[in-house]
Amino acid sequence: MTALPDKTALTAASFKSDYRPVWCPGCGHYSVLSSLTKALAELGLQREEVAVVSGIGCSSRIPAYTSVYGFHSVHGRALPVATGLKVSRPDLTVIVTGGDGDGYSIGGNHFLHACRRNVDLTYVVMDNQVYGMTKGQASPTTPADWDKSKLTPRGTGVSPFHPLAVALAAGANFIARCYAGDPNGTARVITEAVRHPGFSMVQVLSQCVTYQPGQKEWKTTVRKADVTTTSDVELAARWLMADDGLSTGILYLGNRPVYRPELRASASLEDLETAFRV
Amino acid sequence: MQIVADEKKSTSGINSVEVFLAHALTLEDEAAGGYQEIGDSMAVHNNPEVAGLFFQMAKYGRMHAAEVRELAAGLDLPHIPPWEFVWRDGESPEAPSMDKMHYMMRPAQALMLALRAERAAHGFYSSVAETTTHPRVRELAAQFAEEEAEHVRLLKDWITKYPDPDPNWDFDPDPPAMPE
Amino acid sequence: MSDQTVSIAITGAGGAGVMTAAQMLLDAAASAGLYGLMARSSGPQIRGGEVAAFLRLGARPIECVDDRFDVMVALDWLNVERFAAEIVLDAESLVLCDQDAGEPPPRITATGACLTALPLQETVKSLEGGRLNMVGLGVLAGLTGLPEEIVGEVAAKALKKRGPAVLDAGLAGIRAGIGLVEGMAGSCRLAAGTSTAARWNFSGNEAAGLGAVRGGVRFVAAYPITPATEILEWLAPNLEKVGGVLVQAEDELASINMIIGSSFGGTPSLTATSGPGLALMMESIGLAVSSETPIVVVNVMRGGPSTGIPTKSEQSDLNIALYGLHGDAPHVVTAAHSIADCQFTTQWSVHLAEQLQVPVIVLTDQSLGQSRAVLDRPADLAFISRRETAAASVTDYRRYALTASGVSAMAIPGTPGGEYVADGLEHAISGRPSSAAEDHAAQLDKRARKLELFDYGQHWANIEGDGPLCVLTWGSCAGPAREACARAKAIGIATRLIVLRLLAPAQEKQFAAAIDGVDRLLIVEQSHSKQFYRYLRAYYDLPGNVRLFSRPGPLPIRPGEVLEHMKAWS
């Protein structure tokens, strides 16, 4: 094998479990799984010190396909589960995975506050602009005129929002967009995201071959962002709002303080009773 | 702050045996892994004929990887982060594209995709052979390129054994299911 | 020890400082070796609203309100009708009011109480920096016979940081108030306190917080909701002192999932909420059941349904606690029955959650949570959390292995070889999702078995006294039930009292043994739809003669009411 980052490091293959993914052939998530395992190998982590937390959806199946600790929780709630885990176990590397429906719709509130709270987490959202698991409904990132869903046969009539702009406004400390068609590039970004302190937001355009076959086009329309990474929130905000959502790269690097309460005892249980004593 | 790198890298930077073998090993490992993953996916999606073809490709990939490992015995290969390999398109050339797969694909199509991957691998090794300044690297690269050329010939031959897919190869009368 | 207690109501509005005075009175009683219980009622305003403080003081521990008030001190009559139903007065009650506050409301005079007007405002004005509530405090000190020095000491401690002028004015006010009632009837005199036992002054919510920490909880997620917020407020600084952490969540959905994540990481975790919040948490409590992740949710019940009556007590969340999870989701439900028991039951519940790898819902209520009591210091308890975990470098690890007890070792992240994915999906013993019939059956059996086979010991219920008439109740109804039984015994009615602490899983054998020999069963509860009664009928064989005394909130159930039911049946 290629030399590893250090003697004790594991290969990307070691981070995959033997559970065969049930994603449709052609799904972009295979590539993201590969990127994630490459990143974990690159970071030189051991299996037992990593946890992948997900919600519900096709992309949320990822924990089972890795060989690290994982929590496949309920729809929209991966971020608080990961937050509780990381705050009480700051020694672990905690990665959150999910899709655009799970993360931006039902999970929207937690998304805002996870960005705001800035716990040291890496959130990988596999955005395919659809609810793939439940037969193809529109999601918060689906174009308003997409009329292929039985729930919204004339299109939703509701514009998609800009998740990265929302992440920026809510306080995320690292913002990037990747494309599943570039697994090594995505691996690099995930590696940087984990290394960067605080809440790292990585949106991966990851095509749904079954419900959004047109996303094949991304191969030609997705391009590298023509800007340098910035730490200027205003600049990043303007750029993000102007972008069409198809530029990839690490777009923003923040330096906000990380939410990491110290877990250190300074008193005994008996001391806690003092206030009650008559 | 990083400027996002231009991905069209050049192979002219490969001038040591260690760096070359690191590339070759990763190429073969990722090919084998990629074919295995696609084969598994096809098996899970009840396309055993195509699954079998990809498992066969995976087996060859593992054999080649073993050969490269043998060549690398005793050498100290450098660690190269996945995104720093000098692949032309940022992705290992022999890695078959999962994104082009279809659960109902026919063997001829599968083999065409494998053929494309083998050609890309051949292209990589030829390019290294042409641009390297290191004689041993040139030797190895040429050797590997020849092996890939052989695979290409074999695949082309293999493909002829399968009929062209009929125009409605991807027609599935059933609607998608909702597993969760 | 004298059984006599004095029940006091103090009312006032708009910054009069009723609660401050009431707190000082309780603290003074504590210093004087007495016991007490204090609760409050208020209008919806955040500041300046009408407030009523209710105290019951005596020389023995007090666990519930009395049937009536001995004295009401009304600093003014503003919006006092709000409290009329709660301030039960009769011809023996004293009502002291301000001669300059206008006419007392007809509802008060109609009670026949003995009304005395005092020059309260006049006295206040005559003192430099005088305050109405301090004069009122003095009035009560005089009536109850609490020594001026003790009251003064308590006031000094509370007012010290506001400077000498305020302190002097306060002490002067107390003295003046005492003077105003000199020579008045001694019906409110308290017998001297003789307690030398170590005593605490605390609320049910604080007790629950302490129980959590003592049980081993070191992570709490918090979202404020009346009447549970004080649990979280107590935990915030105190958890940190012992190396834990409290995180304020964005909503209850975040709270419940945060504690699941934290528990998955190996830390005993808890949250506290009330009905509306508990309803939001249901889906993820089910996730904790399925993934077998230990958590504790303290639910401080309030008037329901929906937004209901947030500041009042009721026992109407029993149904949701027992039946609120979708699917077959066995879990544990416990209930505290007194302020001190909030500590015991919460601590025990943490132990149960950790031992059984299950969510435990602890039911308390507003009347326990937000009332303060001076009580004997609760005994130290022996339970500590003991979660069964996988050893380091375990091989061939199966998270959900089918063990005889139903409890399987949990690998804590950081343990090499123990990597698994916790899941809400039904799963095989490895944790891998499975829809196979045999896996579902096996895991359902496992999750039910681990609760059924566990020996909960004698804590499942408190069983006191003996007699053919049995009073069966739970939660805050235990206090008035217990006092009713004591009064009944004094008039020759022998009763057995059973107070359930463990509601789920039902303890059939133990219950049958507990009611053995009982020929009349009086069930007491505070709900409209008879939730407790229906629960008992569903899970237990009840004797032939059963009567039910149930009433919803917001008014407390009083011992006299329970006694009437007992007398009618004797």
Side-chain angles (χ1 to χ4, degrees):
Chain A
M1 60 191 92
T2 337
L4 300 161
D6 73 63
K7 282 196 179 43
T8 58
L10 299 170
T11 61
S14 314
F15 285 102
K16 283 194 184 167
S17 73
D18 57 7
Y19 196 174
R20 298 179 304 177
V22 299
W23 297 317
C24 304
C27 176
H29 303 344
Y30 284 97
S31 166
V32 180
L33 174 62
S34 167
S35 303
L36 177 60
T37 53
K38 283 182 178 178
L40 293 175
E42 208 43 41
L43 291 161
L45 294 166
Q46 294 304 304
R47 290 204 289 263
E48 65 270 12
E49 52 188 6
V50 181
V52 180
V53 181
S54 68
I56 299 286
C58 292
S59 51
S60 284
R61 289 187 144 157
I62 261 190
Y65 307 145
T66 68
S67 61
V68 300
Y69 279 91
F71 207 124
H72 184 211
S73 71
V74 292
H75 200 34
R77 314 294 168 204
L79 284 169
V81 173
T83 298
L85 178 59
K86 179 68 183 182
V87 169
S88 60
R89 289 290 306 277
D91 57 305
L92 298 172
T93 296
V94 180
I95 300 185
V96 192
T97 58
D100 42 299
D102 176 87
Y104 303 145
S105 200
I106 184 171
N109 192 32
H110 304 310
F111 172 47
L112 288 179
H113 295 279
C115 293
R116 187 173 74 101
R117 201 175 278 118
N118 208 26
V119 171
D120 191 16
L121 297 169
T122 300
Y123 186 31
V124 179
V125 179
M126 281 153 264
D127 190 347
N128 51 19
Q129 301 171 358
V130 77
Y131 280 80
M133 180 70 80
T134 49
K135 299 201 288 175
Q137 292 76 33
S139 87
T141 50
T142 306
D145 56 359
W146 186 73
D147 58 1
K148 302 287 186 292
S149 165
K150 291 191 178 143
L151 285 192
T152 52
R154 288 184 296 280
T156 61
V158 180
S159 299
F161 77 153
H162 297 279
L164 296 190
V166 171
L168 182 72
N173 215 32
F174 173 108
I175 296 178
R177 187 185 291 119
C178 302
Y179 172 42
D182 176 16
N184 283 331
T186 302
R188 180 177 76 90
V189 171
I190 294 177
T191 306
E192 303 276 325
V194 173
R195 284 195 177 126
H196 192 76
F199 189 80
S200 298
M201 168 79 195
V202 179
Q203 182 194 18
V204 186
L205 298 170
S206 180
Q207 65 272 14
C208 175
V209 66
T210 299
Y211 295 108
Q212 293 277 27
Q215 284 169 355
K216 264 199 270 281
E217 260 177 37
W218 280 345
K219 259 236 135 39
T220 52
T221 55
V222 170
R223 93 295 286 183
K224 297 267 182 300
D226 59 358
V227 286
T228 53
T229 309
T230 182
S231 296
D232 181 334
V233 167
E234 258 188 67
L235 208 62
R238 259 179 289 155
W239 188 88
L240 281 169
M241 288 306 292
D243 181 58
D244 62 0
L246 298 174
S247 302
T248 61
I250 298 174
L251 306 164
Y252 173 76
L253 283 177
N255 40 37
R256 288 177 60 224
V258 177
Y259 184 85
R260 183 175 163 141
E262 214 190 328
L263 308 172
R264 195 177 53 86
S266 59
S268 68
L269 280 178
E270 286 63 45
D271 295 335
L272 303 185
E273 294 178 18
T274 330
F276 298 141
R277 287 188 200 129
V278 164
Chain B
M1 291 201 285
Q2 307 253 352
I3 296 181
V4 176
D6 178 7
E7 289 302 327
K8 297 286 187 194
K9 295 193 179 113
S10 153
T11 57
S12 60
I14 303 185
N15 293 314
S16 89
V17 172
E18 287 83 357
V19 172
F20 173 69
L21 288 179
H23 278 73
L25 190 51
T26 299
L27 191 152
E28 298 303 332
D29 272 342
E30 291 197 357
Y35 285 128
Q36 182 68 37
E37 186 175 72
I38 296 173
D40 281 334
S41 179
M42 288 301 164
V44 166
H45 289 81
N46 300 298
N47 189 340
E49 203 180 357
V50 168
L53 292 177
F54 282 115
F55 288 147
Q56 193 66 31
M57 297 298 303
K59 195 163 133 203
Y60 292 143
R62 283 192 288 273
M63 275 164 49
H64 303 152
E67 283 166 20
V68 178
R69 264 185 191 87
E70 230 170 285
L71 283 168
L75 295 177
D76 204 6
L77 300 191
H79 168 67
I80 303 176
W83 47 88
E84 284 178 22
F85 287 101
V86 295
W87 315 129
R88 210 169 66 93
D89 296 308
E91 221 188 305
S92 164
E94 203 175 336
S97 310
M98 170 56 97
D99 59 320
K100 293 192 175 48
M101 303 300 155
H102 189 287
Y103 68 104
M104 287 176 70
M105 72 193 315
R106 306 311 304 133
Q109 293 161 314
L111 292 173
M112 286 297 297
L113 288 169
L115 176 62
R116 183 190 304 195
E118 296 299 310
R119 278 199 174 117
H122 171 265
F124 171 75
Y125 289 130
S126 310
S127 171
V128 173
E130 267 164 54
T131 57
T132 187
T133 56
H134 192 294
R136 177 67 178 144
V137 172
R138 189 176 309 121
E139 199 190 328
L140 288 169
Q143 182 188 321
F144 290 6
E146 181 45 43
E147 281 178 30
E148 297 298 341
E150 183 56 31
H151 300 160
V152 169
R153 279 191 286 279
L154 284 169
L155 273 169
K156 277 182 168 159
D157 188 56
W158 205 0
I159 287 170
T160 64
K161 299 188 165 49
Y162 291 96
D164 280 339
D166 70 41
N168 292 319
W169 65 271
D170 61 349
F171 173 68
D172 181 346
D174 282 349
M178 187 161 69
E180 244 175 66
Chain C
M1 199 190 299
S2 164
D3 231 16
Q4 177 232 8
T5 67
V6 173
S7 287
I8 301 161
I10 314 172
T11 61
V18 165
M19 283 320 298
T20 307
Q23 183 67 60
M24 288 186 194
L25 190 63
L26 182 68
D27 291 347
S31 293
L34 296 165
Y35 294 87
L37 179 68
M38 180 176 74
R40 67 177 285 174
S41 253
S42 54
Q45 312 85 331
I46 290 175
R47 311 281 325 255
E50 56 279 11
V51 177
F54 309 118
L55 294 107
R56 191 178 181 195
L57 307 173
R60 50 103 171 148
I62 295 164
E63 280 189 353
C64 68
V65 294
D66 204 344
D67 305 325
R68 54 180 289 284
F69 284 86
D70 296 292
V71 57
M72 172 183 182
V73 172
L75 300 181
D76 57 56
W77 293 122
L78 299 168
N79 284 319
V80 77
E81 289 78 18
R82 177 185 297 283
F83 311 119
E86 269 180 280
I87 303 179
V88 181
L89 300 165
D90 56 32
E92 265 89 67
S93 310
L94 289 177
V95 175
L96 303 176
C97 60
D98 189 359
Q99 67 193 24
D100 297 316
E103 286 306 304
R107 261 185 100 165
I108 302 285
T109 45
T111 61
C114 179
L115 212 60
T116 306
L118 298 172
L120 295 175
Q121 279 290 1
E122 208 179 279
T123 307
V124 168
K125 289 197 186 100
S126 75
L127 300 167
E128 174 96 28
R131 301 209 60 99
L132 191 54
N133 65 336
M134 299 311 286
V135 174
L137 176 59
V139 162
L140 284 164
L143 284 176
T144 55
L146 282 171
E148 187 180 343
E149 316 87 72
I150 290 183
V151 182
E153 259 167 43
V154 167
K157 209 160 131 195
L159 298 176
K160 198 166 49 175
K161 56 177 170 273
R162 297 199 26 226
V166 172
L167 174 51
D168 287 341
L171 295 174
I174 292 168
R175 169 161 304 147
I178 292 173
L180 287 179
V181 294
E182 211 169 311
M184 273 186 79
S187 58
C188 297
R189 280 270 187 290
L190 282 164
T194 52
S195 174
T196 49
R199 286 163 305 132
W200 281 6
N201 182 335
F202 63 147
S203 70
N205 279 349
E206 290 167 343
L210 181 65
V213 175
R214 294 186 69 147
V217 166
R218 292 296 179 268
F219 180 89
V220 169
Y223 192 72
I225 184 170
T226 305
T229 308
E230 294 87 8
I231 299 180
L232 307 164
E233 287 175 339
W234 186 87
L235 282 166
N238 287 290
L239 203 52
E240 197 180 285
K241 286 182 190 153
V242 294
V245 61
L246 178 143
V247 175
Q248 182 178 329
E250 55 269 27
D251 57 28
E252 287 91 347
L253 299 165
S255 303
I256 189 71
N257 285 289
M258 282 184 189
I259 65 174
I260 288 174
S262 167
S263 181
F264 170 74
T267 308
S269 305
L270 171 147
T271 189
T273 187
S274 189
L278 184 63
L280 288 175
M281 296 180 183
M282 280 296 147
E283 184 197 15
S284 284
I285 296 176
L287 175 64
V289 170
S290 184
S291 60
E292 301 198 51
T293 309
I295 52 168
V296 176
V297 179
V298 178
N299 185 56
V300 186
M301 296 183 289
R302 69 195 218 177
S306 187
T307 315
I309 309 177
T311 55
K312 287 305 200 200
S313 206
E314 198 169 71
Q315 292 185 318
S316 51
D317 288 346
L318 181 61
N319 280 354
I320 190 176
L322 292 170
Y323 313 121
L325 308 184
H326 70 272
D328 284 316
H331 56 288
V332 177
V333 180
T334 58
H337 64 253
S338 71
I339 288 176
D341 200 55
C342 287
Q343 181 193 325
F344 180 98
T345 299
T346 304
Q347 185 174 343
W348 186 48
S349 299
V350 176
H351 165 76
L352 292 175
E354 293 289 313
Q355 188 83 30
L356 298 169
Q357 296 177 23
V358 77
V360 179
I361 300 175
V362 180
L363 296 174
T364 74
D365 63 32
Q366 184 275 331
S367 75
L368 297 177
Q370 293 188 324
S371 296
R372 299 201 68 81
V374 176
L375 292 172
D376 288 327
R377 179 189 183 282
D380 279 330
L381 303 161
F383 334 102
I384 33 170
S385 352
R386 201 175 337 133
R387 191 188 294 196
E388 196 178 320
T389 55
S393 296
V394 54
T395 52
D396 225 16
Y397 176 60
R398 298 282 180 264
R399 168 68 182 101
Y400 302 106
L402 304 176
T403 61
S405 69
V407 177
S408 51
M410 185 175 176
I412 305 303
T415 307
E419 297 85 8
Y420 76 100
V421 179
D423 213 319
L425 283 171
E426 188 57 282
H427 38 263
I429 60 175
S430 61
R432 292 231 167 129
S434 168
S435 58
E438 58 272 17
D439 286 329
H440 191 39
Q443 293 296 320
L444 284 169
D445 283 345
K446 175 191 196 290
R447 294 188 293 253
R449 174 168 77 248
K450 69 181 179 180
L451 302 188
E452 281 155 22
L453 295 182
F454 185 72
D455 180 3
Y456 297 90
Q458 83 264 40
H459 304 308
W460 73 282
N462 272 27
I463 303 168
E464 301 157 27
D466 206 1
L469 170 62
C470 177
V471 178
L472 172 62
T473 189
W474 72 289
S476 59
C477 287
R482 190 170 284 119
E483 185 157 334
C485 288
R487 293 185 198 173
K489 189 170 171 192
I491 56 172
I493 302 173
T495 357
R496 189 181 305 175
L497 174 64
I498 301 175
V499 180
L500 299 192
R501 181 183 285 107
L502 181 69
L503 295 161
Q507 304 293 292
E508 285 173 39
K509 274 210 283 287
Q510 290 88 332
F511 185 88
I515 59 163
D516 187 35
V518 163
D519 63 39
R520 281 157 291 147
L521 187 65
L522 174 65
I523 298 168
V524 180
E525 62 160 312
Q526 198 183 25
S527 85
H528 182 264
S529 58
K530 310 172 188 167
Q531 294 188 18
F532 185 55
Y533 174 60
R534 302 231 172 272
Y535 152 80
L536 292 168
R537 289 267 313 260
Y539 289 102
Y540 297 112
D541 285 332
L542 304 180
N545 276 324
V546 176
R547 285 192 189 172
L548 174 62
F549 169 32
S550 76
R551 180 176 72 225
L555 298 175
I557 300 217
R558 299 184 186 275
E561 296 176 284
V562 180
L563 183 63
E564 281 315 299
H565 279 83
M566 292 164 73
K567 279 155 77 173
W569 213 9
S570 298

